[in-house]
Amino acid sequence: MPTVFIKTYGCQMNERDSEAVAAQLVAKGYSLVKSEHVADIVLLNTCSVRDNAEQTALGKMSAMIGLGRKDRPDQIFGFLGCMAQSRGQELIDRLPDVDLVVGTQKFHRVADYLDDLLEGRRKKIVDTDAESGSESTIREHLVSGGSQPSVTAFVSIMQGCNQYCTFCIVPYTRGEERSRPIPEIVSECQQMVSRGVKEITLLGQIVTSYGKREIAKHEGKTAFVQLIEAVHDIDGLERIRFTSPHPKGYGDDLVEAYVRLPKLASHAHLPVQSGSDRVLKLMHRGYDRQRFLEIVQKLRLARSNIGITSDIIVGFPGETEEDFNQTLSLCREVEFDNAFLFKYSPRRDTPAASMPGQLPESLIEERHARLLELVNEIGARKYDAFIGKQARILVEGPSKKNSARVMGRTTCNKIVLFEGSERHKGQVMDVSITRVGSFTLYGDPAIVNL
Ligand code: 5AD
């Protein structure tokens, strides 16, 4: 049977989509390989959120075609996901060796399309159509071999986003919000737990809007909180995480969930994007600085150890020095455990791309460097505070960089490395933190409590 190499760019949703495609292909008899050089089929699952991500995937594809076509004239090349959705046929016009372009609502058709291409029924396939019900098609998981199952799993709960932030391409690449029913999600989570999974991350482009149209509020609780409660009831599940939320979705019912539901991890990723009310309005974020600070305060009251992380865009059109200073001061006030910084990148079809006051690259670079310094300094202080303390971690498995180490995460989402072995995988254990690296904690195996 044919061999497939899948490379994924972008967010956790993309990782999850790739996993579901891989699982479908494996079920049909395809085998997965780790390199494009030995693959009959090469698929790039793409990201469009910034121009950089698109250019990287385009560059990778043309390099692979250049090398691959010489040795393997029949190799099949495909683009999947967000860039496939937004560019469609244009990708084949630009790279005529590309055979397959499959958008974000058609991942479940990839195996059929590959059959068509392999058997010569069709020469090129582009499918970027919308499909109703596609939110429920991302459900297959790769089952990792018996004795060493995965400790963590991602479960897709919804697709799309209706927020239309003016900088963001996601509503155009992922479509309208569509949510899966609670029982369907719970049963997928149950299956994962029965295979040994201890931590589940609920995934969607804007999870706090989960089920808004489909599921009525119940006893003042939004559909998203109802879903978390239902997943929380699963025996054997240790932790629940979710991503990506929107700050405006942190109503009191979600804040209270942190008080009531112990399996809900003590972490909130709150993408603030800017500290300036003027810029937040231009971005169409739906909250102001005051409201954001209020949410942070409420969450810290609900869970004193909560880890708070964020995404921030630097150089949004028209951002003045004063606006940028507001972002710096917000970071000082909140003290994020970590924040991902993004240089504003104009995206096609988005309102911000044609707003006045697009800033020069050099100014964006300069502000990015200043903010990065501050975020790193605050992060280092927060991580340093763990030295000498015990941290309870869920061990996920060997560290990617150093196989003598194992990696676990604290409930507040900090990575902890220590010298352990495969037998620690899946355990919840207390580790003493001895030193700190860049956004990483190190535990001493000598004082691990077993
Ligand atoms: N330019 C820069 N950053 C962006 N993001 C989304 N769109 C853009 C853009 N056009 C960032 C936001 C979002 C994260 C996933 O990517 O901060 O939260």
Side-chain angles (χ1 to χ4, degrees):
M1 279 303 268
T3 52
V4 189
F5 171 65
I6 306 179
K7 185 169 173 62
T8 310
Y9 297 90
C11 63
Q12 283 153 321
M13 273 67 81
N14 291 4
E15 295 285 348
R16 175 70 196 103
D17 295 337
S18 292
E19 191 207 356
V21 169
Q24 287 158 21
L25 293 175
V26 167
K28 280 203 140 202
Y30 289 75
S31 52
L32 301 174
V33 290
K34 289 202 157 68
S35 147
E36 69 263 30
H37 304 299
V38 292
D40 301 314
I41 300 156
V42 175
L43 301 174
L44 296 189
N45 192 7
T46 56
C47 170
S48 283
V49 83
R50 285 171 298 278
D51 188 51
N52 243 341
E54 291 204 349
Q55 296 313 324
T56 311
L58 286 166
K60 176 76 182 171
M61 185 61 96
S62 47
M64 289 192 308
I65 290 169
L67 288 175
R69 276 285 182 254
K70 272 189 260 139
D71 305 339
R72 304 171 153 258
D74 297 327
Q75 201 169 21
I76 288 176
F77 295 98
F79 279 117
L80 313 181
C82 289
M83 183 172 67
Q85 185 69 41
S86 75
R87 295 195 181 216
Q89 174 68 36
E90 182 194 320
L91 291 168
I92 296 186
D93 298 342
R94 180 166 170 167
L95 295 169
D97 286 284
V98 169
D99 308 285
L100 179 66
V101 177
V102 178
T104 52
Q105 304 200 24
K106 298 288 181 168
F107 288 112
H108 58 293
R109 298 298 311 275
V110 169
D112 291 341
Y113 290 152
L114 288 177
D115 285 350
D116 288 347
L117 291 168
L118 286 165
E119 285 159 30
R121 282 192 293 273
R122 296 170 76 181
K123 287 250 163 302
K124 304 272 173 196
I125 300 175
V126 177
D127 188 355
T128 55
D129 289 347
E131 183 172 317
S132 70
S134 64
E135 66 278 9
S136 290
T137 57
I138 307 297
R139 51 164 195 257
E140 274 82 17
H141 290 260
L142 280 175
V143 189
S144 56
S147 63
Q148 296 299 337
S150 289
V151 176
T152 59
F154 293 93
V155 171
S156 172
I157 64 167
M158 67 180 303
Q159 289 279 311
C161 182
N162 294 355
Q163 179 66 25
Y164 289 93
C165 297
T166 54
F167 53 80
C168 188
I169 199 171
V170 166
Y172 312 95
T173 58
R174 292 284 180 166
E176 291 268 292
E177 288 168 16
R178 292 104 56 209
S179 298
R180 301 174 66 189
I182 292 178
E184 196 180 295
I185 297 168
V186 170
S187 114
E188 187 175 322
C189 293
Q190 267 161 346
Q191 256 179 44
M192 294 288 99
V193 172
S194 70
R195 290 179 193 164
V197 163
K198 300 273 167 58
E199 175 183 299
I200 285 178
T201 304
L202 306 172
L203 286 183
Q205 279 81 35
I206 179 160
V207 286
T208 38
S209 295
Y210 168 81
K212 270 214 162 129
R213 280 177 303 179
E214 299 89 346
I215 302 165
K217 270 194 165 182
H218 180 65
E219 294 172 350
K221 290 176 213 153
T222 52
F224 185 51
V225 170
Q226 295 172 44
L227 172 68
I228 295 174
E229 284 178 346
V231 174
H232 196 271
D233 281 344
I234 298 174
D235 281 340
L237 180 65
E238 297 275 352
R239 282 183 183 170
I240 304 171
R241 299 188 188 276
F242 52 80
T243 198
S244 296
H246 189 289
K248 73 170 192 170
Y250 280 80
D252 287 346
D253 63 327
L254 183 54
V255 173
E256 277 160 18
Y258 283 89
V259 180
R260 286 186 295 119
L261 305 174
K263 293 180 186 176
L264 190 55
S266 297
H267 174 223
H269 182 67
L270 295 174
V272 68
Q273 312 298 1
S274 170
S276 151
D277 282 343
R278 204 184 67 82
V279 173
L280 287 172
K281 210 171 204 153
L282 287 172
M283 288 177 163
H284 193 237
R285 289 295 288 172
Y287 54 84
D288 60 10
R289 179 190 177 99
Q290 189 52 39
R291 172 73 188 131
F292 185 86
L293 294 172
E294 216 174 272
I295 294 164
V296 170
Q297 196 183 23
K298 283 186 175 180
L299 284 168
R300 286 188 168 145
L301 277 174
R303 284 271 178 96
S304 57
N305 68 339
I306 199 162
I308 296 188
T309 55
S310 197
D311 291 345
I312 302 170
I313 295 178
V314 181
F316 185 82
E319 183 188 75
T320 63
E321 191 60 24
E322 173 50 27
D323 293 321
F324 179 65
N325 280 328
Q326 292 282 313
T327 299
L328 291 171
S329 81
L330 180 123
C331 288
R332 282 192 204 101
E333 206 168 329
V334 174
E335 300 198 311
F336 294 114
D337 293 74
N338 196 1
F340 302 100
L341 309 185
F342 302 102
K343 295 172 202 158
Y344 172 71
S345 165
R347 309 311 297 132
R348 61 167 67 189
D349 300 331
T350 61
S354 51
M355 280 181 186
Q358 304 281 328
L359 299 187
E361 190 68 34
S362 56
L363 183 56
I364 298 181
E365 289 283 352
E366 187 242 326
R367 287 184 184 163
H368 179 268
R370 281 161 67 194
L371 186 56
L372 186 63
E373 196 181 323
L374 176 65
V375 163
N376 285 344
E377 178 200 310
I378 294 168
R381 228 186 301 135
K382 292 238 148 185
Y383 276 68
D384 282 348
F386 278 80
I387 295 179
K389 299 215 169 103
Q390 291 229 327
R392 176 151 296 179
I393 62 169
L394 172 61
V395 181
E396 294 181 20
S399 146
K400 280 194 190 116
K401 288 193 197 135
N402 180 345
S403 58
R405 291 196 179 123
V406 291
M407 187 278 269
R409 261 176 231 267
T410 65
T411 178
C412 53
N413 210 31
K414 297 194 169 46
I415 287 180
V416 179
L417 299 173
F418 68 99
E419 279 168 38
S421 68
E422 195 63 42
R423 81 194 154 88
H424 293 118
K425 191 171 165 180
Q427 288 187 30
V428 176
M429 53 200 284
D430 293 330
V431 179
S432 289
I433 304 303
T434 54
R435 66 188 175 92
V436 163
S438 170
F439 295 101
T440 309
L441 304 173
Y442 290 88
D444 187 335
I447 31 184
V448 165
N449 296 335
L450 285 176

